[in-house]
Amino acid sequence: HPGVSDSGASVFDEIALAHKEIYALYEVAQGLGNSLGVADSMGVITEKLRELVPFASCALFLHDTIGGVARCRYAIGTGAKQLRQMELRVGSGLIGRVIVTRECRVNEDPGDDFLSIGVPADGQVLKSALVCPLIVAERVIGALAMYHTEPEFFTEDHHRLAMRVSAQA
């Protein structure tokens, strides 16, 4: 924009980002209203979420209250095959703590969760995680986890957007 100062360009950038966020969240809501199964729903969520929160992999863990575990029901991206094998005790590991505390965790090392399926720390490529609880009618039904290969990758904006998506999901 000719004649627009750096602060003016910054305002336009912020407006464009806000519009992109609102549209992506709207598309998540629309897609969830039209989809039937876990795979369909997660396909919609991850496609739109990736536009807002870049991730190397994303996984859905559902809480089995009778067994006291959280099982991975869907995973895409780096390490997806390993993620799909996870069945974690509620209260232990990153996923288990999120389910118990009902709070998002940002930039924590997911190593303990991978150790539970026999992947040693030196064999782990995912170095940071952003995990939000999924709550329906005051009950935690699981967690939505995003992972990245870089430590400390996720920002406060990523955290805010992930919380909004998990609230819709």
Side-chain angles (χ1 to χ4, degrees):
H1 301 352
V4 175
S5 68
D6 286 343
S7 63
S10 163
V11 170
F12 286 125
D13 291 344
E14 287 180 27
I15 291 169
L17 179 60
H19 177 73
K20 179 180 174 183
E21 290 174 10
I22 290 167
Y23 188 69
L25 290 169
Y26 169 78
E27 286 186 317
V28 167
Q30 287 294 105
L32 290 176
N34 297 330
S35 61
L36 300 173
V38 170
D40 289 340
S41 296
M42 284 303 297
V44 169
I45 290 169
T46 55
E47 177 186 343
K48 296 305 167 190
L49 183 60
R50 182 171 272 155
E51 295 175 18
L52 302 173
V53 182
F55 54 78
S57 57
C58 186
L60 169 70
F61 291 86
L62 293 181
H63 181 198
D64 173 357
T65 55
I66 295 170
V69 296
R71 288 187 187 92
C72 182
R73 291 287 311 274
Y74 178 91
I76 62 162
T78 304
K81 184 177 178 184
Q82 293 170 330
L83 287 164
R84 285 188 207 106
Q85 297 172 24
M86 287 188 186
E87 180 175 296
L88 306 160
R89 279 247 155 260
V90 170
S92 66
L94 179 55
I95 302 298
R97 285 193 310 273
V98 166
I99 289 173
V100 168
T101 64
R102 305 165 70 96
E103 295 174 355
C104 287
R105 303 287 178 141
V106 184
N107 285 325
E108 290 201 21
D109 184 346
D112 287 349
D113 291 347
F114 283 91
L115 275 175
S116 74
I117 58 167
V119 178
D122 60 356
Q124 178 48 270
V125 296
L126 299 172
K127 303 295 184 188
S128 59
L130 169 53
V131 184
C132 293
L134 297 173
I135 301 172
V136 175
E138 298 301 313
R139 198 174 123 240
V140 180
I141 63 163
L144 180 63
M146 289 137 283
Y147 301 93
H148 206 278
T149 56
E150 293 178 35
E152 303 291 318
F153 176 80
F154 297 104
T155 67
E156 278 306 309
D157 272 346
H158 295 149
H159 175 212
R160 177 180 57 79
L161 292 164
M163 285 185 357
R164 291 189 67 186
V165 170
S166 65
Q168 278 188 331

